[in-house]
Short mmCIF file of all heavy atoms in Angstrom, two decimals:
data_model
loop_
_atom_site.label_atom_id
_atom_site.label_comp_id
_atom_site.label_asym_id
_atom_site.label_seq_id
_atom_site.Cartn_x
_atom_site.Cartn_y
_atom_site.Cartn_z
N MET A 1 0.84 -1.21 0.01
CA MET A 1 0.02 0.00 -0.01
C MET A 1 0.87 1.24 0.01
O MET A 1 0.62 2.19 -0.74
CB MET A 1 -0.94 -0.02 1.21
CG MET A 1 -2.16 -0.96 1.04
SD MET A 1 -3.47 -0.67 2.26
CE MET A 1 -2.69 -1.38 3.76
N CYS A 2 1.90 1.26 0.84
CA CYS A 2 2.77 2.42 0.88
C CYS A 2 3.47 2.65 -0.49
O CYS A 2 3.59 3.77 -0.97
CB CYS A 2 3.88 2.21 1.98
SG CYS A 2 3.26 2.34 3.64
N GLU A 3 3.90 1.58 -1.13
CA GLU A 3 4.55 1.72 -2.41
C GLU A 3 3.58 2.13 -3.49
O GLU A 3 3.83 2.99 -4.34
CB GLU A 3 5.18 0.35 -2.82
CG GLU A 3 6.35 -0.06 -1.94
CD GLU A 3 7.57 0.81 -2.21
OE1 GLU A 3 7.80 1.27 -3.35
OE2 GLU A 3 8.38 1.04 -1.25
N GLU A 4 2.36 1.54 -3.47
CA GLU A 4 1.33 1.88 -4.51
C GLU A 4 0.96 3.31 -4.44
O GLU A 4 0.78 4.00 -5.50
CB GLU A 4 0.11 0.98 -4.31
CG GLU A 4 -1.00 1.26 -5.34
CD GLU A 4 -2.25 0.46 -5.11
OE1 GLU A 4 -2.19 -0.45 -4.20
OE2 GLU A 4 -3.27 0.68 -5.77
N PHE A 5 0.86 3.88 -3.23
CA PHE A 5 0.42 5.29 -3.06
C PHE A 5 1.61 6.25 -3.00
O PHE A 5 1.43 7.43 -2.73
CB PHE A 5 -0.45 5.41 -1.83
CG PHE A 5 -1.66 4.48 -1.84
CD1 PHE A 5 -2.07 3.88 -0.65
CD2 PHE A 5 -2.34 4.23 -3.01
CE1 PHE A 5 -3.16 3.00 -0.66
CE2 PHE A 5 -3.43 3.40 -2.99
CZ PHE A 5 -3.84 2.75 -1.83
N ALA A 6 2.82 5.71 -3.24
CA ALA A 6 4.01 6.54 -3.27
C ALA A 6 4.19 7.35 -1.94
O ALA A 6 4.50 8.52 -1.97
CB ALA A 6 4.02 7.50 -4.44
N LEU A 7 4.02 6.63 -0.84
CA LEU A 7 4.12 7.28 0.43
C LEU A 7 5.52 7.14 1.00
O LEU A 7 6.14 6.10 0.90
CB LEU A 7 3.15 6.61 1.47
CG LEU A 7 1.64 6.72 1.16
CD1 LEU A 7 0.88 5.89 2.16
CD2 LEU A 7 1.18 8.13 1.11
N PRO A 8 6.09 8.20 1.62
CA PRO A 8 7.34 8.03 2.34
C PRO A 8 7.09 7.31 3.62
O PRO A 8 6.23 7.65 4.44
CB PRO A 8 7.74 9.52 2.57
CG PRO A 8 6.52 10.28 2.57
CD PRO A 8 5.56 9.57 1.64
N TYR A 9 7.90 6.23 3.83
CA TYR A 9 7.70 5.50 5.07
C TYR A 9 9.04 4.96 5.61
O TYR A 9 10.06 4.99 4.92
CB TYR A 9 6.70 4.31 4.88
CG TYR A 9 7.13 3.21 3.88
CD1 TYR A 9 7.57 1.97 4.32
CD2 TYR A 9 7.09 3.47 2.52
CE1 TYR A 9 7.96 1.00 3.44
CE2 TYR A 9 7.45 2.45 1.59
CZ TYR A 9 7.87 1.23 2.08
OH TYR A 9 8.25 0.24 1.17
N VAL A 10 8.99 4.58 6.89
CA VAL A 10 10.19 4.09 7.58
C VAL A 10 9.87 2.75 8.21
O VAL A 10 8.76 2.51 8.72
CB VAL A 10 10.51 5.09 8.73
CG1 VAL A 10 11.75 4.70 9.49
CG2 VAL A 10 10.72 6.54 8.21
N MET A 11 10.85 1.86 8.24
CA MET A 11 10.68 0.60 8.94
C MET A 11 11.29 0.68 10.30
O MET A 11 12.49 1.02 10.46
CB MET A 11 11.27 -0.57 8.14
CG MET A 11 10.45 -1.00 6.96
SD MET A 11 10.90 -2.65 6.38
CE MET A 11 9.98 -2.63 4.82
N VAL A 12 10.50 0.42 11.32
CA VAL A 12 10.94 0.42 12.71
C VAL A 12 10.98 -1.06 13.16
O VAL A 12 9.99 -1.78 13.08
CB VAL A 12 9.92 1.18 13.62
CG1 VAL A 12 10.38 1.14 15.04
CG2 VAL A 12 9.83 2.65 13.12
N LEU A 13 12.13 -1.51 13.65
CA LEU A 13 12.29 -2.87 14.08
C LEU A 13 12.06 -2.96 15.59
O LEU A 13 12.83 -2.37 16.39
CB LEU A 13 13.67 -3.40 13.73
CG LEU A 13 14.07 -3.24 12.23
CD1 LEU A 13 15.49 -3.91 12.05
CD2 LEU A 13 13.07 -3.84 11.31
N THR A 14 11.06 -3.65 15.98
CA THR A 14 10.66 -3.82 17.40
C THR A 14 11.31 -5.09 17.95
O THR A 14 11.82 -5.98 17.28
CB THR A 14 9.18 -3.87 17.57
OG1 THR A 14 8.61 -5.02 16.92
CG2 THR A 14 8.53 -2.62 16.98
N LYS A 15 11.27 -5.17 19.30
CA LYS A 15 11.66 -6.37 20.06
C LYS A 15 13.15 -6.75 19.81
O LYS A 15 13.48 -7.96 19.78
CB LYS A 15 10.77 -7.57 19.72
CG LYS A 15 9.27 -7.25 19.90
CD LYS A 15 8.47 -8.47 19.60
CE LYS A 15 6.94 -8.16 19.76
NZ LYS A 15 6.07 -9.31 19.44
N ILE A 16 14.01 -5.76 19.68
CA ILE A 16 15.40 -6.09 19.37
C ILE A 16 16.11 -6.69 20.57
O ILE A 16 17.22 -7.25 20.41
CB ILE A 16 16.17 -4.86 18.84
CG1 ILE A 16 16.32 -3.78 19.96
CG2 ILE A 16 15.51 -4.27 17.63
CD1 ILE A 16 17.29 -2.68 19.57
N ASP A 17 15.50 -6.61 21.75
CA ASP A 17 16.08 -7.22 22.93
C ASP A 17 15.72 -8.64 23.08
O ASP A 17 16.10 -9.31 24.00
CB ASP A 17 15.74 -6.41 24.16
CG ASP A 17 14.21 -6.18 24.31
OD1 ASP A 17 13.52 -6.20 23.25
OD2 ASP A 17 13.70 -6.12 25.41
N LYS A 18 14.91 -9.18 22.14
CA LYS A 18 14.45 -10.58 22.19
C LYS A 18 15.32 -11.52 21.43
O LYS A 18 15.04 -12.75 21.39
CB LYS A 18 12.96 -10.69 21.70
CG LYS A 18 11.99 -9.76 22.38
CD LYS A 18 11.83 -10.12 23.91
CE LYS A 18 10.76 -9.25 24.54
NZ LYS A 18 10.64 -9.54 25.96
N SER A 19 16.34 -11.04 20.75
CA SER A 19 17.19 -11.88 19.92
C SER A 19 18.65 -11.71 20.32
O SER A 19 19.04 -10.72 20.94
CB SER A 19 17.08 -11.49 18.46
OG SER A 19 15.74 -11.64 17.97
N SER A 20 19.47 -12.71 19.96
CA SER A 20 20.88 -12.59 20.15
C SER A 20 21.42 -11.52 19.18
O SER A 20 20.76 -11.21 18.17
CB SER A 20 21.62 -13.91 19.90
OG SER A 20 21.45 -14.28 18.50
N LYS A 21 22.60 -10.97 19.46
CA LYS A 21 23.16 -9.96 18.56
C LYS A 21 23.38 -10.55 17.17
O LYS A 21 23.14 -9.90 16.15
CB LYS A 21 24.50 -9.46 19.17
CG LYS A 21 24.37 -8.55 20.35
CD LYS A 21 23.74 -7.23 19.91
CE LYS A 21 23.92 -6.11 20.96
NZ LYS A 21 23.29 -6.44 22.25
N GLY A 22 23.84 -11.81 17.06
CA GLY A 22 24.05 -12.47 15.81
C GLY A 22 22.80 -12.52 14.98
O GLY A 22 22.80 -12.23 13.76
N HIS A 23 21.72 -13.02 15.58
CA HIS A 23 20.44 -13.16 14.88
C HIS A 23 19.90 -11.75 14.46
O HIS A 23 19.41 -11.61 13.33
CB HIS A 23 19.40 -13.84 15.76
CG HIS A 23 18.09 -13.98 15.17
ND1 HIS A 23 17.76 -14.91 14.18
CD2 HIS A 23 16.88 -13.33 15.37
CE1 HIS A 23 16.53 -14.84 13.81
NE2 HIS A 23 15.96 -13.88 14.53
N LEU A 24 20.06 -10.77 15.32
CA LEU A 24 19.59 -9.44 15.04
C LEU A 24 20.37 -8.84 13.86
O LEU A 24 19.73 -8.23 12.95
CB LEU A 24 19.69 -8.54 16.24
CG LEU A 24 19.15 -7.13 16.13
CD1 LEU A 24 17.66 -7.17 15.67
CD2 LEU A 24 19.30 -6.35 17.42
N VAL A 25 21.69 -8.99 13.86
CA VAL A 25 22.46 -8.45 12.73
C VAL A 25 21.97 -9.10 11.45
O VAL A 25 21.86 -8.44 10.38
CB VAL A 25 23.95 -8.74 12.95
CG1 VAL A 25 24.76 -8.47 11.69
CG2 VAL A 25 24.50 -7.86 14.07
N LYS A 26 21.78 -10.40 11.42
CA LYS A 26 21.30 -11.10 10.26
C LYS A 26 20.01 -10.59 9.74
O LYS A 26 19.79 -10.35 8.54
CB LYS A 26 21.21 -12.63 10.53
CG LYS A 26 20.76 -13.46 9.38
CD LYS A 26 20.63 -14.93 9.75
CE LYS A 26 20.15 -15.79 8.58
NZ LYS A 26 20.01 -17.18 8.95
N GLN A 27 19.03 -10.38 10.68
CA GLN A 27 17.75 -9.84 10.32
C GLN A 27 17.84 -8.43 9.74
O GLN A 27 17.22 -8.11 8.75
CB GLN A 27 16.79 -9.85 11.50
CG GLN A 27 16.38 -11.21 11.99
CD GLN A 27 15.30 -11.81 11.07
OE1 GLN A 27 15.23 -11.55 9.86
NE2 GLN A 27 14.43 -12.63 11.60
N VAL A 28 18.67 -7.59 10.38
CA VAL A 28 18.83 -6.23 9.95
C VAL A 28 19.39 -6.17 8.53
O VAL A 28 18.89 -5.40 7.68
CB VAL A 28 19.70 -5.41 10.91
CG1 VAL A 28 20.09 -4.06 10.32
CG2 VAL A 28 19.00 -5.16 12.26
N LEU A 29 20.40 -7.00 8.25
CA LEU A 29 20.97 -7.00 6.92
C LEU A 29 20.00 -7.53 5.91
O LEU A 29 19.92 -6.98 4.76
CB LEU A 29 22.24 -7.93 6.88
CG LEU A 29 23.46 -7.36 7.69
CD1 LEU A 29 24.56 -8.39 7.72
CD2 LEU A 29 23.93 -6.05 7.04
N GLN A 30 19.15 -8.56 6.24
CA GLN A 30 18.19 -9.05 5.31
C GLN A 30 17.10 -7.98 5.01
O GLN A 30 16.74 -7.79 3.83
CB GLN A 30 17.54 -10.31 5.86
CG GLN A 30 18.43 -11.55 5.85
CD GLN A 30 17.74 -12.78 6.43
OE1 GLN A 30 16.69 -12.65 7.11
NE2 GLN A 30 18.35 -13.93 6.22
N ILE A 31 16.63 -7.30 6.02
CA ILE A 31 15.56 -6.31 5.82
C ILE A 31 16.17 -5.11 5.12
O ILE A 31 15.52 -4.51 4.25
CB ILE A 31 14.95 -5.91 7.18
CG1 ILE A 31 14.29 -7.09 7.83
CG2 ILE A 31 13.96 -4.74 7.01
CD1 ILE A 31 13.82 -6.85 9.26
N GLN A 32 17.39 -4.71 5.40
CA GLN A 32 18.05 -3.61 4.74
C GLN A 32 18.18 -3.93 3.24
O GLN A 32 17.98 -3.05 2.37
CB GLN A 32 19.43 -3.38 5.36
CG GLN A 32 20.18 -2.17 4.82
CD GLN A 32 21.49 -1.96 5.57
OE1 GLN A 32 21.48 -1.32 6.57
NE2 GLN A 32 22.59 -2.55 5.07
N LYS A 33 18.52 -5.15 2.91
CA LYS A 33 18.63 -5.58 1.50
C LYS A 33 17.24 -5.51 0.83
O LYS A 33 17.12 -5.05 -0.32
CB LYS A 33 19.23 -7.00 1.40
CG LYS A 33 19.35 -7.46 -0.03
CD LYS A 33 20.01 -8.85 -0.08
CE LYS A 33 20.17 -9.32 -1.54
NZ LYS A 33 20.77 -10.69 -1.58
N PHE A 34 16.22 -5.97 1.53
CA PHE A 34 14.86 -5.93 0.99
C PHE A 34 14.46 -4.45 0.70
O PHE A 34 13.91 -4.14 -0.37
CB PHE A 34 13.90 -6.52 2.02
CG PHE A 34 12.44 -6.40 1.63
CD1 PHE A 34 11.84 -7.43 0.91
CD2 PHE A 34 11.66 -5.27 1.98
CE1 PHE A 34 10.47 -7.35 0.55
CE2 PHE A 34 10.30 -5.16 1.63
CZ PHE A 34 9.74 -6.22 0.88
N VAL A 35 14.75 -3.54 1.67
CA VAL A 35 14.42 -2.12 1.44
C VAL A 35 15.17 -1.60 0.20
O VAL A 35 14.57 -0.85 -0.59
CB VAL A 35 14.82 -1.33 2.69
CG1 VAL A 35 14.71 0.19 2.45
CG2 VAL A 35 13.88 -1.67 3.84
N ALA A 36 16.40 -1.94 0.07
CA ALA A 36 17.22 -1.42 -1.04
C ALA A 36 16.83 -1.94 -2.42
O ALA A 36 16.88 -1.27 -3.43
CB ALA A 36 18.70 -1.76 -0.82
N THR A 37 16.32 -3.17 -2.44
CA THR A 37 16.01 -3.85 -3.74
C THR A 37 14.53 -3.98 -4.09
O THR A 37 14.20 -4.08 -5.26
CB THR A 37 16.63 -5.25 -3.75
OG1 THR A 37 16.10 -6.04 -2.66
CG2 THR A 37 18.16 -5.15 -3.65
N LYS A 38 13.69 -3.90 -3.06
CA LYS A 38 12.23 -4.16 -3.32
C LYS A 38 11.39 -2.93 -3.03
O LYS A 38 10.18 -3.01 -3.28
CB LYS A 38 11.77 -5.31 -2.38
CG LYS A 38 12.55 -6.60 -2.59
CD LYS A 38 12.34 -7.24 -3.92
CE LYS A 38 13.01 -8.62 -4.01
NZ LYS A 38 12.85 -9.22 -5.30
#
């Protein structure tokens, strides 16, 4: 919906204290790649 309506938006990652640092880094890199390419 945000993309279709050309809205400026931000992704906020919640619950970052629920994961290990390694898992969190992996998720951040995956989501960052998604944002950059999709």
Side-chain angles (χ1 to χ4, degrees):
M1 284 193 287
C2 289
E3 291 290 328
E4 179 182 353
F5 304 140
L7 299 175
Y9 64 106
V10 179
M11 284 198 190
V12 178
L13 306 186
T14 63
K15 306 181 183 180
I16 67 171
D17 53 332
K18 303 297 183 182
S19 299
S20 66
K21 285 293 195 300
H23 178 75
L24 183 57
V25 167
K26 181 181 178 180
Q27 289 284 30
V28 168
L29 289 174
Q30 287 179 347
I31 298 172
Q32 184 176 274
K33 182 178 179 180
F34 176 91
V35 169
T37 59
K38 304 292 186 181

